[in-house]
Amino acid sequence: MFEQLGLIGCGLMGGSFALALKRAGLVKRVVGYSKSPSTTERARSMGVIDVEAPSALLAVSGADIVLLAVPVSATEATLKAIRHLVSRDMLIMDVGSTKRDVIDAARRVLRDNIPAFVPCHPIAGKELSGVDHADPELYAGKQVVITPIERTDPAKVQRATQVWEALQCQVVHMTPEEHDAAFAAVSHLPHMIAFALINGITDQEQGRNFLSLAGPGFRDFTRIAAAEPKMWRDILLANRQELLAQSKLFQRALLEMEQMIEGGDSDALETMIEKASDTRARWRLSQKKH
Amino acid sequence: MFEQLGLIGCGLMGGSFALALKRAGLVKRVVGYSKSPSTTERARSMGVIDVEAPSALLAVSGADIVLLAVPVSATEATLKAIRHLVSRDMLIMDVGSTKRDVIDAARRVLRDNIPAFVPCHPIAGKELSGVDHADPELYAGKQVVITPIERTDPAKVQRATQVWEALQCQVVHMTPEEHDAAFAAVSHLPHMIAFALINGITDQEQGRNFLSLAGPGFRDFTRIAAAEPKMWRDILLANRQELLAQSKLFQRALLEMEQMIEGGDSDALETMIEKASDTRARWRLSQKKH
C-alpha cells in the first residue's frame, strides 16, 4: 500500500493508472498535476485524483510512488521540474512508448537518484485520449515492458513488477534496446507506413476518389493513421534510429515482392504471401492476456 | 425476373449472389457449377443452387443471366469453357477484383459476344471463404463498380445496374483503368505492404519475439495479411502495372517522412502526420452505405 501517488500528466494513461491503483486499494491519496489546469481540475472532479497540485514539483512532494505520464518528448523537462524533490525512497515510473530516449533523459537529470527510476511501457491505449476516457480497466490483461538499466535498483524493479501485476498486467523484462527495436517493428513502423500510404494516395489527383472506394480492409489497415499527430511525431523522432533500421528491412521485403510481381514469378510470390499469411493467422493478440 | 442464373463458381461470392438474387425474387432457377464437385454438391444441399451442372458450359445452357465468380486468374479458361453457349441475349457478369485483365480475357475469348459481358466488382467479402459462408446479405449496402468498355451493350449495363441495385448495392461506373488504379491504391498495395511488413519482421532473428509484443494497432494493420495466398498472388499479378505504380508513390511518401525523421525536422513531420491523420479521421466507411 502506497501513501501517495504523485501523478504527472492526468490524461488517458495517467488517469487510468490512478483509477486502477485506487480500485486495487494500493494507494491512499493521489496528488495530480497536468500542464493544462483544466485537465487537472477535470481529473479531480472525476475522482481520478484527490488533490490538484499547482506544479509537477508539488505533485511529487510527499509521494512514495510517482508516475510520469507525459509525452516522451516532455520527459526531460518534467524530470528537471521534479528533481529537487525526488528521492531514492520513491518508486518512479514512466509509461513512454520509447525507452532509450527516456532513460537518457533520466540519466542526465536524476543522476544519483536514477536507481529509483524504473522505465515502463504498458502496451495499452485507446483511440480516444484525455482524462475523460480514463478507465480503471485500461491496463487489465495487458503487457507491461520494464526495461531496467544496470543502475536501476533491483528492489524497485520488483516493486514496479508487483504494482503492475496487481493491476492484472503481464510484466515482461527487456533491455531498452530490445524494447525500442521491437516497437519500431510492430508499432512505430506500421504507423509511419499508414501515414505515408494515405499521403501517397491523397497526393494524387484522383486520390480522394480512390478513397471513396476503399473497404473494410483499408479501414482496419489505416486505423492507426488517425493517431494524434504531436504524440506520434515525438515517438517517431524519439525512436528514429531503430525505426529507420526497421524501415530498411521492410523496404527490402517489399522490393523482393515487387521483383517477383514484375517478373511474374508466381510460385515465389505465393510462397512469400503464404509465409506472411501463416504468420499472421497464427499470431493472436490473446497470447498477451493472462 | 430472370428464368435461370448460370452460376460458375459456388464459393462465397457466387453463393451469396445466388442467395441474394433468390431472396429478391429475381430468378426462378439457379444452375451452378464449381471446379470441385463437393462444393457444387454442398451448394445444392444448402439451397444456394437448385441444379448441379456437370460443367461450366452446361451451367450456361438455358441461362439468361450468368455470373462468373471464379478467381481472376481462372477467367480466361472459364470463358473458353462456356463460349460456345454464350449468346448476346444473356447478361454475363463477373465479380473480379481486377478489371483490365478480365476485360482483356473477355475480348480475346468472347469476341462478337463481348457486348453481353458487363465487368463488375462488388466491394464485398469476408475473411472466411467458401460456400459455407455464403450469405444473402453479403452485398447489401455495398458498392459495386461497373467498368463497361466501348463495346459493352448499354442496355446490358443498365440491366446489370438494376440487378445490383435490387440487391441494395450502390453502383458506381468507372473505366477499367480508373478502377484498377483505385484498387491498387486502396486494396492491393495495402495487402502487399502487410505481407512485406510481416516478412520483414520474421526474417529477423528476434522477429518472433517482437511479434509477441504487438498490440491492437498491429492486429488491425495486419489483419489483411491473413488473406488467402493463391487468390492474392493472382490479384497482385493481375494488377501488377497499377500496383507497382502505386507502390512507387507510396515509397516516395515514405522516403519523404524518413528524411524528415533523419533530419529531425519536427515541424514538417508533424504537418505530414497531421495531413494523414485528418484524412483518415474524415474518411468514413459509412459513406459507402445507402
Side-chain angles (χ1 to χ4, degrees), chain B residues 63-268:
Chain B
D64 47 357
I65 175 170
V66 171
L67 190 78
L68 304 184
V70 299
V72 283
S73 62
T75 305
E76 184 151 7
T78 306
L79 289 170
K80 279 181 180 160
I82 65 172
R83 77 169 140 199
H84 296 298
L85 285 180
V86 161
S87 84
R88 292 182 68 156
D89 299 333
M90 296 173 175
L91 169 62
I92 307 168
M93 304 189 291
D94 79 315
V95 295
S97 315
T98 53
K99 296 271 65 82
R100 285 205 290 189
D101 65 313
V102 165
I103 288 166
D104 287 347
R107 279 186 208 273
R108 281 192 297 270
V109 179
L110 297 181
R111 295 164 189 257
D112 287 350
N113 287 322
I114 189 106
F117 178 66
V118 181
C120 299
H121 176 198
I123 309 171
K126 273 190 192 175
E127 282 172 62
L128 300 162
S129 58
V131 69
D132 286 331
H133 304 102
D135 174 0
E137 282 293 322
L138 182 70
Y139 298 109
K142 305 290 165 52
Q143 289 189 110
V144 176
V145 185
I146 296 188
T147 63
I149 56 173
E150 249 175 63
R151 297 194 58 202
T152 315
D153 179 356
K156 298 284 161 146
V157 174
Q158 202 184 342
R159 197 83 184 90
T161 303
Q162 286 164 350
V163 169
W164 290 110
E165 286 180 350
L167 306 188
Q168 277 146 26
C169 298
Q170 187 191 337
V171 174
V172 181
H173 290 194
M174 298 176 79
T175 68
E177 291 72 25
E178 281 167 350
H179 170 279
D180 285 3
F183 285 89
V186 303
S187 172
H188 310 162
L189 177 60
H191 276 81
M192 182 168 73
I193 288 173
F195 300 140
L197 179 90
I198 288 188
N199 289 337
I201 293 173
T202 52
D203 285 349
Q204 299 172 56
E205 209 181 317
Q206 291 291 313
R208 302 266 162 200
N209 294 338
F210 292 175
L211 288 182
S212 73
L213 293 167
F218 180 85
R219 176 196 59 206
D220 291 348
F221 185 80
T222 59
R223 181 169 287 131
I224 53 177
E228 214 281 292
K230 278 193 178 38
M231 182 179 127
W232 278 93
R233 173 201 66 189
D234 290 344
I235 292 172
L236 300 188
L237 288 171
N239 200 20
R240 71 181 82 177
Q241 195 178 327
E242 295 295 347
L243 172 60
L244 294 171
Q246 287 297 327
S247 184
K248 288 288 159 284
L249 295 174
F250 158 69
Q251 287 173 58
R252 198 159 73 190
L254 190 68
L255 179 67
E256 218 180 321
M257 291 194 79
E258 285 184 331
Q259 287 169 340
M260 290 168 184
I261 290 168
E262 201 151 17
D265 191 346
S266 172
D267 289 348

Side-chain angles (χ1 to χ4, degrees), chain A residues 94-107:
Chain A
D94 79 315
V95 296
S97 315
T98 53
K99 296 270 66 80
R100 284 205 290 189
D101 65 315
V102 165
I103 288 167
D104 287 347
R107 279 186 208 272

Side-chain angles (χ1 to χ4, degrees), chain A residues 222 233 247 258 270 280, chain B residues 220 222 233 247 258 270 280:
Chain A
T222 59
R233 173 200 67 188
S247 184
E258 285 185 330
E270 187 184 337
R280 179 55 180 78
Chain B
D220 291 348
T222 59
R233 173 201 66 189
S247 184
E258 285 184 331
E270 188 184 336
R280 179 54 180 78

Side-chain angles (χ1 to χ4, degrees), chain A residues 8 27 142 149 234 247 272 275 289:
Chain A
I8 305 174
V27 69
K142 304 290 165 49
I149 56 173
D234 290 344
S247 184
M272 285 283 265
K275 193 169 84 169
K289 303 255 165 119

